[in-house]
């Protein structure tokens, strides 16, 4: 029965040993253990706080990134619009310039043609006049060999002139 019910002396010494160990743990062990637990708890709390702050910063960065992207898209659209307007203005200016240049070239060509036409008409008139004079000279030489023929011709010409008036 000694195994189930310890003796009083053993019980006394076990209690003393337990109290000494408990006192030593209470005095030296538990403060270290509780300090480590508190330190660990503070580290975990700090880590959780930092993780929460990091998540908030990440969310803010994402919002800023989205706003920057939106702003970039708007600027891109504005730049493309301005580029299209500039392109249209340049094309319109080039077309106007080409029209003006074409009109100027047409006017220059018309003036040159008109000058050529006048020169050709003047040349033709000169040639016709020269031919007419030569023909008239030959006809007159042939018809006006004597004085009577010359007088008849002068009378006819005077009659023609007086009848036209």
């Amino acid at each position: 029965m000694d195994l189930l019910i310890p003796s009083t002396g053993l019980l006394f010494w076990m209690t003393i040993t337990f109290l000494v160990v408990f006192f030593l743990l209470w005095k030296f062990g538990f403060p270290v253990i509780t300090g480590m637990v508190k330190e660990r708890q503070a580290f975990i709390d700090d880590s959780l706080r930092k993780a929460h702050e990091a998540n908030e910063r990440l969310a803010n960065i994402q919002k800023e990134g989205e706003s920057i992207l939106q702003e970039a898209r708007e600027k891109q659209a504005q730049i493309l619009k301005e580029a299209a307007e500039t392109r249209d203005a340049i094309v319109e200016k080039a077309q106007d310039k080409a029209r003006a240049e074409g009109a100027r070239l047409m006017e220059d060509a018309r003036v040159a043609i008109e000058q050529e036409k006048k020169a050709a008409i003047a040349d033709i008139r000169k040639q016709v006049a020269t031919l007419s004079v030569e023909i008239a000279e030959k006809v007159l030489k042939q018809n006006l060999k004597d004085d009577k023929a010359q007088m008849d011709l002068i009378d006819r010409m005077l009659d023609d002139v007086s009848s036209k008036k």
Side-chain angles (χ1 to χ4, degrees), residues 115-132:
Q115 288 175 349
E116 290 288 327
K117 179 180 167 185
K118 286 180 181 178
I121 289 173
D123 187 43
I124 290 172
R125 283 184 180 170
K126 183 178 175 184
Q127 289 177 2
V128 167
T130 303
L131 286 175
S132 296

Side-chain angles (χ1 to χ4, degrees), residues 84-150:
E85 289 173 357
T86 303
R87 179 201 65 212
D88 292 344
I90 289 171
V91 166
E92 184 66 30
K93 187 176 179 181
Q95 287 176 344
D96 289 345
K97 190 174 181 181
R99 284 188 205 108
E101 184 66 19
R104 186 188 64 77
L105 289 174
M106 289 295 286
E107 182 62 24
D108 289 349
R110 189 188 62 74
V111 168
I113 290 170
E114 189 65 32
Q115 288 175 349
E116 290 288 327
K117 179 180 167 185
K118 286 180 181 178
I121 289 173
D123 187 43
I124 290 172
R125 283 184 180 170
K126 183 178 175 184
Q127 289 177 2
V128 167
T130 303
L131 286 175
S132 296
V133 169
E134 289 176 2
I135 291 172
E137 183 181 332
K138 288 180 183 178
V139 168
L140 285 176
K141 279 185 184 178
Q142 196 173 24
N143 288 338
L144 300 176
K145 291 182 181 173
D146 58 355
D147 286 339
K148 182 178 180 321
Q150 288 177 4

